[in-house]
Amino acid sequence: MPLLAPPLPSVCRPQAKLAPISFASPFASHPNRSMTLLQQAKFFKSADRLGDLPAPSGVEVAFAGRSNAGKSSAINTLTRQNRLAFVSKTPGRTQLINLFSLGEDRFLVDLPGYGYADVPERIRRHWQDVLSRYLIERPSLQGLIVIMDVRHPLTPLDRQLLEWFLPTGKPVHVLLSKADKLTRQQAAASLRSVRAELAAYGQCTAQLFSSLKRQGIEEAEAVIRAWMLPA
Ligand code: GDP
């Protein structure tokens, strides 16, 4: 199956849904530099268009994913903050790009989830435009974390997202989320197949991740740290 399938994304307004997982962190402190970096995350601002973003002078790592893939839970897990990624979750509220500051002109960027049903065409088009332009044009964007449910990776909308971003040549790291929902063997098979499909793109890596089981945190942190704090 080709990676770059053409369907249009349905990006936009969240529906009522279950809250993201937010577990009390067993890590009060940690000597690892990346944990310190991500734990610093503080809500900075929301934007519903590119013009509302801060000037692109800093360094950004963006999180994207299909609605319900586990993106908010992953952000909360990685930053050790139980409610950081709740801000955009109010049902019925227009979805936004949310920036979290990591200090010194570094930002985590929580992009609007895509694939929501029943989104008015006008709003869907607005977010399709904002998301694609952000991914293609944002000079401060260093790399993209894409959250995909380990049971349904590389959906047509995930492929559309990659189609926009891969031509930039910037790196993509896929978190195959909810790995706890599969047996170890099934999860490993899903990871193998995603890695095989992305192998043609030298800039793509992938790993298993579970907010519930706190699996894959160090691996993901190391990737983000390398993008944010290049040696
Ligand atoms: P988002 O829409 O991508 O931000 O997804 P959320 O983080 O809100 O998660 C969607 C649903 O998946 C919620 O019901 C979460 O509790 C659940 N979820 C998220 N991460 C995990 C995980 O690692 N394991 C399991 N079993 N459920 C998860």
Side-chain angles (χ1 to χ4, degrees):
M1 187 173 182
L3 174 62
L4 304 179
L8 291 174
S10 172
V11 179
C12 203
R13 186 182 296 246
Q15 299 174 309
K17 57 185 293 235
L18 294 174
I21 287 179
S22 52
F23 299 101
S25 169
F27 305 97
S29 63
H30 193 286
N32 183 310
R33 190 173 164 215
S34 70
M35 292 180 88
T36 308
L37 177 70
L38 295 183
Q39 279 178 314
Q40 287 175 28
K42 288 190 181 60
F43 178 72
F44 182 75
K45 80 174 288 190
S46 295
D48 83 343
R49 53 194 185 91
L50 296 184
D52 290 339
L53 293 173
S57 55
V59 172
E60 293 169 9
V61 170
F63 284 66
R66 197 184 164 88
S67 143
N68 222 39
K71 175 165 59 70
S72 304
S73 301
I75 291 172
N76 289 342
T77 299
L78 288 167
T79 59
R80 271 66 169 175
Q81 297 187 39
N82 290 344
R83 297 185 61 83
L84 190 67
F86 264 83
V87 280
S88 64
K89 289 294 171 183
T90 312
R93 203 161 104 181
T94 302
Q95 205 175 10
L96 300 165
I97 297 175
N98 290 301
L99 282 88
F100 305 107
S101 165
L102 300 176
E104 294 179 44
D105 263 354
R106 295 193 181 93
F107 300 97
L108 288 186
V109 180
D110 183 8
L111 295 170
Y114 42 88
Y116 289 103
D118 302 330
V119 173
E121 179 66 11
R122 180 182 58 81
I123 296 174
R124 189 178 70 77
R125 292 238 168 244
H126 166 72
W127 279 109
Q128 178 184 326
D129 179 59
V130 170
L131 189 55
S132 59
R133 282 179 44 226
Y134 174 83
L135 292 172
I136 294 165
E137 296 172 9
R138 184 79 174 162
S140 45
L141 180 58
Q142 302 300 304
L144 180 64
I145 302 282
V146 186
I147 291 86
M148 301 180 194
D149 189 316
V150 69
R151 298 164 297 175
H152 323 286
L154 288 170
T155 65
L157 296 180
D158 296 326
R159 292 167 191 274
Q160 172 71 82
L161 185 89
L162 294 173
E163 181 177 1
W164 286 329
F165 189 66
L166 287 172
T168 67
K170 295 175 185 174
V172 173
H173 187 62
V174 176
L175 300 186
L176 291 174
S177 63
K178 310 189 191 183
D180 58 277
K181 296 259 194 190
L182 296 180
T183 65
R184 195 182 290 250
Q185 290 78 7
Q186 289 168 331
S190 174
L191 177 60
R192 266 197 309 278
S193 118
V194 168
R195 280 182 172 158
E197 196 162 340
L198 296 179
Y201 304 90
Q203 77 235 57
C204 294
T205 50
Q207 67 161 96
L208 296 174
F209 191 85
S210 167
S211 292
L212 184 66
K213 297 289 182 192
R214 308 191 66 77
Q215 176 188 353
I217 297 175
E218 283 75 15
E219 191 178 349
E221 281 174 337
V223 170
I224 296 168
R225 181 184 63 221
W227 291 348
M228 290 234 167
L229 305 170

